[in-house]
Every structure is written in C-alpha cells, then in structure tokens.
Amino acid sequence: MSTETHHQPTAKLYVKVAAWLAVITAVEVLLSYMTMPPVVLVISLLLASIVKFVVVVGYFMHLKFDAPKLRMPLLTGLLLALTIYAIVLINMIMHAKYSPS
Amino acid sequence: MSAVTEEAGHATSTGIPNTKMAMWTFLGSECLLFGALLSVYLLYRGNVPSGPTPYEVYDIPFTSVSSFVLLMSSLTMVLAHNAAVHKDIRRMRTWLIATALLGAVFLSGQVYEFTVFVKEGFTVTSSPAGSAFFILTSFHGAHVTIGVLMLLSIVGFSARGVDRVNKPEVVEYVGLYWHFVDIVWIVLFTLVYLIPGPEVGY
C-alpha cells in the first residue's frame, strides 16, 4: 500500500488480484483432495502458497510499487524465521531420542 | 545519496516515512514470532500419544471458506485505503466496516472450529500436537482481533470527526498490519491444514 497517488493501482486491479487469489485458493483445496504422490502434492501446495504470499505482499501491501528499501525488514524476518525452523529441525534430528516423531 | 522526504515536519534520510519503516520492521519481527510457532507445530504435529490426530479433526471445506473470507477482507482493506487516497471518506468507512465484519466472521469460524475440536477430544492439553496447534492458531486469532479493534477505532474516530484518522497514511499502516495477518494465514492454511500429515510420510 502506498499513499502516493501516482503509484496507486486502480480498484479494478485490486479486484482482479483478489479474484486470482480466490482461484489459487480453490485450486489448492482441490489439489489437497486429489490422489498424487505426496512429494508432488506438497511441492504444488507450497508453490501455490508462495504465489499467494508474493501477490498479497506485492499488490495489496504495495511492496511492488514502493521503495525497494522497504523489502529489507520483511525479507530479513522471513530469512530468520526459516533459520529458526532449520536450527530446531537439525537439533531434533541430531538428538533423535528427543525427537517428537 | 539517499533521498530526503518530509514527514510530520522533519526529514528522513531514507526517503521513507519513519512510521512506515517502523511498521515494516515490526512486521519483519512478527515473522519471527509466527516462524517459531509454526516450526514447533511442524515438528510436533505427529506427536499424538493419545486422542485424535490433528488430521482426523480438521474440516477442510469449513476452513477453506474461512480462508476465503480472510482473503476477501484484504480486498476490502485495500479498497478502503484506495478510498482514503481519493479522499472519499464515506466509502473509506464503508470498506473499513466491511473488513472488520469479514474479520469477525473469520474469528467466529475459528471459535466454532475450536469448539468442535475440543468436543472431539483434540485439545490444548491432549497432546504436544494439540498444544502446538492451539497456540499457533490462537496467536493468529489474537492478531486478527487486534486488527478488527484497530479498524473499528478508525471508523469510530472518523465518524466523530477526528480528521487525523482520515489520512491515507493511517489507513495504510493499519492495512499493512491487516494484510500481514492475511499472509500469515495463507502460510498456515497450507502448512497446517492442506499438507498431509505424518501418517502419509509428511
């Protein structure tokens, strides 16, 4: 989102973007009911989720149109969040006897 | 050399209003909170010594509708901001109320879902998977609740003639928070509900 009118997308574009997001969500749900190899299913669902994430951040949060500097805080947060997951996962694998599964 | 912009009577060396940069930094830090909670859920979702597993109680069609409602609330939020930019205050308030209502519908769905899960024996104390699930989704629900309160505050102040809240910047910052809550749910919906459980190898 941005307050600068010269970069402001139109309401029509927002509606189009929302319609695409709804379509992707419907496809995701359909995929989850289909019979396919788990690897293919997981990769397809993750890709759909990433596309939705990027579209909302880019268009609705206006990061696509705003100053690139604004991307840094979010990217840093996402990178650190992934790092947390990786550290916890590695820790659990290395200490298998404490592993929850 | 960095561009200099004026914000509330003073310059910022980044060319970006300080409040906006602060909001993005806050949202970046929120990634860590949800990243940690989601990590715990993903690592413990298969840990169910007794009682139903999460995948036995999930109602995917119901949660899909809730997800659709929250997704559409992002549309109404961005339309509220668009109206504020065009100084159409009446339309801005209408879209803000619509966003708050959609948020409230989502929260009602979450309360209903929790009630059903508890009745089926999947509770916050039934298993490590249950604890991880309820803590993760409750934190998200708390964020949605705060968002609804912020939206209603803007509408209330605007209706009482407090012009400051009609500024596009104010709607923009609350909108950034609201959209963030939406993107967190986009990730949760896929990773928590849609991706098959450990019993099929994931």
Side-chain angles (χ1 to χ4, degrees), chain B residues 14-32:
Chain B
T14 57
I16 298 163
N18 288 335
T19 317
K20 189 169 186 170
M21 184 57 98
M23 178 52 97
W24 275 107
T25 307
F26 166 68
L27 296 180
S29 71
E30 287 276 274
C31 290
L32 287 174

Side-chain angles (χ1 to χ4, degrees), chain B residues 20-84:
Chain B
K20 189 169 186 170
M21 184 57 98
M23 178 52 97
W24 275 107
T25 307
F26 166 68
L27 296 180
S29 71
E30 287 276 274
C31 290
L32 287 174
L33 169 71
F34 283 104
L37 294 174
L38 193 56
S39 298
V40 171
Y41 174 78
L42 291 175
L43 294 165
Y44 279 90
R45 65 191 179 142
N47 192 339
V48 185
S50 63
T53 68
Y55 303 93
E56 288 169 344
V57 293
Y58 287 163
D59 182 352
I60 301 298
F62 181 81
T63 315
S64 302
V65 173
S66 290
S67 302
F68 178 76
V69 166
L70 197 61
L71 206 54
M72 289 306 106
S73 75
S74 260
L75 172 64
T76 53
M77 184 70 237
V78 83
L79 290 175
H81 175 248
N82 192 264

Side-chain angles (χ1 to χ4, degrees), chain A residues 1-3 28 38-39 88 100, chain B residues 14 20 43 81 85 172 190 202:
Chain A
M1 298 174 82
S2 172
T3 52
E28 268 188 301
V39 180
V88 178
Chain B
T14 57
K20 189 169 186 170
L43 294 165
H81 175 248
V85 168
E172 179 186 8
T190 303
Y202 288 87

